[in-house]
Amino acid sequence: MSVELQNIKNRFGIIGNFPALNRALEKSIQVAPTDISVLVIGESGVGKEFIPKIIHSESRRKHQPYIVVNCGAIPEGTIDSELFGHEKGAFTGATATRKGYFEVADGGTIFLDEVGELPLQTQVRLLRVLESGEFMKVGSSQVQKTNVRIVAATNVNMMKAIHDGRFREDLFYRLNTVQIDMPPLRERKGDIHLLFRKFAIDFAEKYRMPELVLEPSAVHYIENYSFPGNVRQLRNLVEQMTVVERDRSVTVEKLAEYIPMETHLPMVVNTPASQKQNDFGNEREIMYKILFDMRNDINDLKSLTSELIKNRGTGELNSQEKALISRLYTQESQPASNSNSLLYFEDNNHPIVQTPTIISNPDDSYEDIEEIEIEENHPESLSLQNNEKDLIIKALEKHKGRRNKAADELGISQRTLYRKIKQYNLED
């Protein structure tokens, strides 16, 4: 490391020896004596604001004004006035002529922070200043000249902003004469503990408290944390712990309370496998809905089958009709365990009750669903009404007229049995 670079670090309190950080500082020193525009690229909180300070302090303009403008913090309607000034009466509230930053900073340096947030109209004005050094105040037709060095910074993906039409391509290349990239803190693992110690000393002096010391396990933990807020987040973390914690020795457990393990790990995105699992869950929910909706259609199916029986009279039923009828013998008043019993026909053409398992918990897996099979044979020809009447008579005789027992035997509800007894004049 050169002596000049070390002096810059000492003067501005910059901690770290990461190669990419050193390269950024060296480029700042090299371009400082010139007047070319510089664009600093980096995530929020990496310390981009140090680069224009270094450039200004090492340039011939160091005794001239240095102005910082946060482009993202100034409302769109007033930013032109802030940058270029305005004449009296130029707009409502302009009660006097005002100088803009480019006029005030003539001969010095302007740092345009978050330059990617500039509105397109202001970008046109800024491009003219960069190309010719000329500008006009808002509400004025008089052209003024300025000699200002511009250093800009942004955390926006400029290529995407250009593609989306949010930033002018010609302005980007005018600003980006020299590009300086500031590395994120997660890439500077070896510098994290050094920065922690530096901040711990600073805040210990500020609040007149003993400084914090990390235990070895805590050092390993903090060096592998992603720090989405970069150096700013680390600084705030140390300040908070300095004020709040009484124990000056920081364990990994205590550190995890401030930067929990779930944020310690990288963000997990949906993989094809997880997406497939999500799709399976959606399909399962749809299947459950279909199954339950089918139960709501049974009354309509009953009406349809009654009409079918009425039209056919005492004719013979084919296998498809028998399968349909078997699905309709749902008990109407039985307990829940038997409320979904179905009939099928054996070789002797007697209806047999089969009770399927109905899913009551949508979280159950498909393996919990019992498959319902309806046996479809080719029975001898017989009348449905006569067969039904004979079955009811036999059931009543078997149970000596006890209708509840007969209904259970037939696999139908007592209400249905009473209706059938009345239909076939079996009251006696």
Side-chain angles (χ1 to χ4, degrees):
M1 185 188 304
S2 65
V3 175
E4 186 177 16
L5 179 59
Q6 186 59 53
N7 290 337
I8 289 293
K9 288 184 176 180
N10 293 337
R11 191 194 316 175
F12 291 93
I14 299 174
I15 303 296
N17 294 308
F18 187 65
L21 174 64
N22 290 339
R23 176 58 180 160
L25 298 178
E26 289 171 353
K27 289 177 70 174
S28 302
I29 296 171
Q30 290 171 356
V31 303
T34 70
D35 286 334
I36 59 178
S37 301
V38 177
L39 180 62
V40 186
I41 302 292
E43 298 177 5
S44 178
V46 295
K48 297 187 295 293
E49 67 277 3
F50 288 109
I51 301 301
K53 290 180 181 179
I54 293 172
I55 291 174
H56 180 72
S57 67
E58 295 297 306
S59 70
R60 296 186 298 269
R61 302 171 181 267
K62 59 184 177 182
H63 299 300
Q64 301 300 321
Y66 170 76
I67 295 179
V68 179
V69 181
N70 189 336
C71 301
I74 303 175
E76 183 175 347
T78 62
I79 191 167
D80 285 352
S81 173
E82 293 289 330
L83 293 176
F84 308 108
H86 62 260
E87 294 290 343
K88 181 179 179 180
F91 51 86
T92 303
T95 57
T97 300
R98 181 185 182 280
K99 292 182 178 181
Y101 295 136
F102 278 95
E103 185 175 358
V104 173
D106 187 20
T109 304
I110 288 183
F111 172 40
L112 298 177
D113 196 11
E114 304 301 338
V115 71
E117 304 297 332
L118 281 175
L120 289 172
Q121 180 180 353
T122 307
Q123 293 177 31
V124 176
R125 290 173 173 265
L126 179 59
L127 180 62
R128 183 180 182 185
V129 174
L130 287 168
E131 290 178 340
S132 62
E134 297 178 347
F135 70 95
M136 289 189 296
K137 291 182 178 181
V138 177
S140 174
S141 59
Q142 181 180 355
V143 177
Q144 294 183 241
K145 298 282 289 185
T146 185
N147 178 18
V148 173
R149 168 79 171 276
I150 295 179
V151 180
T154 183
N155 59 5
V156 174
N157 185 331
M158 297 301 285
M159 291 296 101
K160 187 177 186 303
I162 293 171
H163 181 268
D164 296 342
R166 294 183 289 109
F167 202 85
R168 295 179 60 95
E169 186 174 9
D170 48 2
L171 176 58
F172 170 73
Y173 289 115
R174 289 292 300 181
L175 290 171
N176 196 31
T177 307
V178 173
Q179 179 173 315
I180 297 179
D181 297 293
M182 290 293 287
L185 184 58
R186 60 179 172 274
E187 295 180 2
R188 301 167 51 191
K189 290 187 177 182
D191 295 341
I192 293 177
H193 190 205
L194 293 175
L195 286 166
F196 186 97
R197 292 172 58 188
K198 194 263 184 187
F199 293 144
I201 293 172
D202 291 346
F203 291 123
E205 293 178 355
K206 178 179 179 179
Y207 298 111
R208 298 181 180 181
M209 303 175 70
E211 68 180 80
L212 296 174
V213 178
L214 292 175
E215 293 187 356
S217 59
V219 173
H220 177 76
Y221 185 94
I222 200 172
E223 287 180 345
N224 287 277
Y225 176 63
S226 61
F227 280 105
N230 293 291
V231 179
R232 183 184 294 119
Q233 181 184 2
L234 177 60
R235 184 179 185 277
N236 292 342
L237 169 69
V238 178
E239 183 173 17
Q240 181 182 7
M241 295 186 69
T242 299
V243 175
V244 174
E245 295 300 322
R246 295 184 178 182
D247 191 351
R248 299 289 94 181
S249 179
V250 180
T251 64
V252 66
E253 292 79 13
K254 182 58 64 177
L255 193 60
E257 295 179 9
Y258 291 86
I259 45 177
M261 184 61 68
E262 54 267 23
T263 60
H264 185 276
L265 299 175
M267 182 179 296
V268 178
V269 297
N270 285 338
T271 61
S274 62
Q275 185 65 43
K276 181 178 180 181
Q277 184 176 4
N278 290 338
D279 291 342
F280 174 79
N282 293 335
E283 291 176 1
R284 184 176 63 180
E285 292 177 3
I286 293 172
M287 182 62 70
Y288 288 145
K289 186 177 186 302
I290 292 173
L291 290 174
F292 292 127
D293 287 345
M294 287 174 61
R295 296 182 59 187
N296 296 330
D297 294 336
I298 287 183
N299 289 332
D300 295 335
L301 289 173
K302 282 183 177 181
S303 300
L304 177 62
T305 307
S306 298
E307 187 67 23
L308 175 64
I309 295 173
K310 179 180 179 181
N311 292 337
R312 292 186 61 90
T314 59
E316 179 182 341
L317 297 178
N318 59 36
S319 59
Q320 292 183 347
E321 291 169 344
K322 292 176 64 176
L324 177 61
I325 293 171
S326 67
R327 290 182 177 273
L328 301 178
Y329 273 82
T330 301
Q331 298 182 19
E332 301 174 5
S333 304
Q334 291 291 334
S337 60
N338 295 327
S339 61
N340 298 284
S341 298
L342 302 178
L343 285 178
Y344 68 89
F345 293 84
E346 285 189 335
D347 293 338
N348 59 5
N349 299 307
H350 287 197
I352 304 298
V353 178
Q354 181 181 17
T355 303
T357 299
I358 300 300
I359 300 172
S360 59
N361 184 1
D363 294 330
D364 294 340
S365 62
Y366 283 120
E367 289 75 13
D368 294 330
I369 303 176
E370 296 181 5
E371 184 177 359
I372 302 172
E373 296 183 357
I374 299 178
E375 299 183 5
E376 296 183 355
N377 298 320
H378 298 280
E380 300 176 358
S381 176
L382 77 162
S383 168
L384 176 64
Q385 290 181 340
N386 292 339
N387 184 65
E388 187 176 52
K389 180 177 179 181
D390 291 341
L391 288 173
I392 294 174
I393 293 172
K394 290 179 180 180
L396 289 171
E397 291 176 352
K398 179 180 178 180
H399 296 284
K400 298 179 181 179
R402 289 180 291 183
R403 296 181 179 182
N404 59 336
K405 297 293 184 179
D408 291 340
E409 179 74 17
L410 293 170
I412 60 177
S413 66
Q414 294 183 42
R415 179 181 174 184
T416 300
L417 178 58
Y418 294 154
R419 187 172 65 248
K420 294 295 182 181
I421 290 173
K422 184 177 182 180
Q423 177 182 346
Y424 297 128
N425 296 320
L426 301 177
E427 294 288 349
D428 296 334

